[in-house]
Amino acid sequence: MTTTKGVRRPLGLAPTAVLLLGALYCLLPVCWVLAASTKTRGELFTTNAFAPGTGLFSNIADLSAYRDGIFWQWMANTALYAGVGALLSTAVSVLAGYALAKFRFFGRDAIFTVLIGGILVPAVVLAVPQYLLLAKAGLANTYWAVLLPSILHPYSIYLARIYAAAAIPDALLEAGRIDGAGEHRLLRVVAVPLMLPGMVTIFLFQFVAIWNNFLLPFIMLADDERFPLTVGLYTLLATGANQPALYNLVITGALLSIIPLIALFLTMQRYWRTDLSGGSVKS
Amino acid sequence: MRTKRLRLVMSAVLVGALAAGCSSGGQEETPQETGPVELTFWTWAPNMDKIAAVWNAAHPDIKVTVSKQAGGDEAAAKFLTAAKAGNAPDLVQAEYQMLPSFVAAEAVADIKGEVEAVRGQFSDGIWNLVTLGTDGVYGLPQDSGPMMFYYRTDLFTKYGITVPKTWDEYAAAARTVHAKDKTVYLGGFSSKDPGWFAGLAQQAGGQWWSITGEAWKVGINDGPTKKVADFWGGLAKDGVVDTQAPWTPEWNAALNGGKILSWASAVWAPGVLTSNAPDGKGKWAIAPLPQWSAGENYSGFWGGSSIAIAEGSKHKKAAAQFASWLNTDAKALDLLIKEAAIYPAAKSGQALMTTAPEYFANQADFWQQATTIAGTARGFTFGPNVNVAYSAYKDAFDKALQNKSSFTDALGAMHDATVADMKKSGFTLAS
């Protein structure tokens, strides 16, 4: 470190300012949702955008009463899609990533190349073909219609492979094999614990992706009892040309729908920190 | 009035009984059918599940399950996808302008035979929207959006203008108002609402699409529509009408704060005004739209939807029976008005609307006026690619507003884009 304090300060300010701007950019909409969700219908468009209103509890009550509480059914559905979907997806990704990273077998590189190709194809493009396929299989408009396409996620497999390659030393696996451990035991006792931070990352990624997914459930599901929050709230917004949109309920619903995500991130945070620091101490 | 209403109710009941007779005949033709017929119904009208429950209680042999969907263009896309996969619901709510695309995709059935009995319940203008000007009938009208002129009574007095009888008077009033206060406009031109423009074109007598034999004819830039475009183009160029995008918080604030004095809108506007301009309560009134020539009396439709029956449905007769009940039976119409808050398309349903909306408490004869206006509304045939025409409208007129360029050219661009898309999709076009 040869630079002096006096030189570093002006240089150090610019990145901070950029980061602050970025934070502002990300947080302003959240603040707006927070403020807007407290407003009644009349206040929503007439009062200052960031001034709190008086209707938070009446909004929540209205939302809960809307069509006999279907909002909470949507919340439960979303939790099911995101929770089960992310768990299954994490399991598949970890198995696939571990195998691709630590075993040499015929066609391994070909499989990996295809997976990388898969990352380049946006999920949006696949939604309609997936719908037509699942409709043929008689699975459209079932919970499976949303769960099955969420399970295989090329990017997660890619992440798992990278993570497994970095976090599991070959020497450790060799030692285990010499000591007579079978492959299943190696996976259970050596690989999975070492990959845990990576698994949390994949789980969170997939959880958020499924929680926020709109197009897939929108196309797959016909029965509103099976809708997730995104599609359900959309039905409140797009009420046809002749009905005023239920803006205040949608905004309150949006606020309630991000609370579980925030809670999840806060509780999973410590695993993630391990993940980040895990990389830094590797030699 | 009372006896007339009773007669209408009676005829509706008779129609219902007739329809019931028809379909029980249909049931006998398929004796392998066991248990009640199960129908699925996609709609975005609020509380439709409650209305279906009333039907289900009275008709144990036909059970309707309502699935509430999001409205708008996406709903149409979703239905078309489902129909392609063989998964379509039996009944689907279809906006009038989307119905032709369903027909072109052979996703909805011709139900002429099943609904002949209720034809008399609907005005010619509305019926034309579900026949597309052909011999077939592709849906039953549910709600309609006849257009009328909403205005602020107090501010009209303040700025010394009267309700314009013709569009010329409208233009003069727009100049007067804006000259008195630069922040105030008589009304607005919306480049975001192609449905609004289509309604005004209908009023002027435009015919955007028509079918002759197997060929489509596109007339988006026909004489009447050009007249409408030029009219608004002139006002927009002089800056005497508001051209900001409607449905934004700013527009709501202008409407609420008395900066916009009138709105050429449809019969469903009270709902919008109630939620977006709460301060104007009791200050607005309705009148017929300004006319193109004095002495004329025409309106157009903005919005509204029909109930169509999927081509893939296994129970078309039962579905038609339910659709007929829903849109013509007195009890169902009453529920549609109260629970779903719609303006019914059926004449007998319109007669049921008696109490003025709370927002229009100052105008006791609101619905009588609306019904009179609804009778003067002329529709037109929508084409199979309205979504393309509508997005072309938004693009072209947005650009025209921004560059202050000619509205006639914008209309031409919209016409050309629509024709090009139809050619690309393989429709036969009449020269």
Side-chain angles (χ1 to χ4, degrees), chain B residues 27 84 103 111 122 125 140 166 183 193 236 241 265 309 312-313 319 325 383 388 393 423:
Chain B
Q27 288 290 119
K84 198 165 177 55
V103 175
I111 49 169
F122 303 96
L140 266 188
T166 62
T183 65
D193 291 315
V241 286
S265 186
I309 291 162
S313 167
W325 173 83
V388 173
Y393 171 84
K423 276 189 185 145

Side-chain angles (χ1 to χ4, degrees), chain B residues 75-77 79-80 92-95 98-108 308 384:
Chain B
F79 172 72
L80 283 174
V92 64
Q93 184 176 4
E95 286 182 288
M98 288 304 168
L99 200 54
S101 63
F102 293 178
V103 175
E106 289 171 7
V108 293

Side-chain angles (χ1 to χ4, degrees), chain A residues 218 221-222 224 234 238 242-243, chain B residues 67-69 71 74 78 143 340:
Chain A
F218 177 75
L221 302 173
D224 52 351
Y234 183 63
N242 308 7
Q243 311 282 347
Chain B
S67 182
K68 190 168 189 296
Q69 302 292 319
E74 292 82 1
K78 182 171 176 176
D143 55 333

Side-chain angles (χ1 to χ4, degrees), chain B residues 364-389:
Chain B
D365 64 344
F366 182 91
W367 291 119
Q368 283 81 342
Q369 283 225 35
T371 306
T372 314
I373 294 169
T376 67
R378 46 182 180 187
F380 59 40
T381 305
F382 282 104
N385 62 340
V386 175
N387 49 347
V388 173

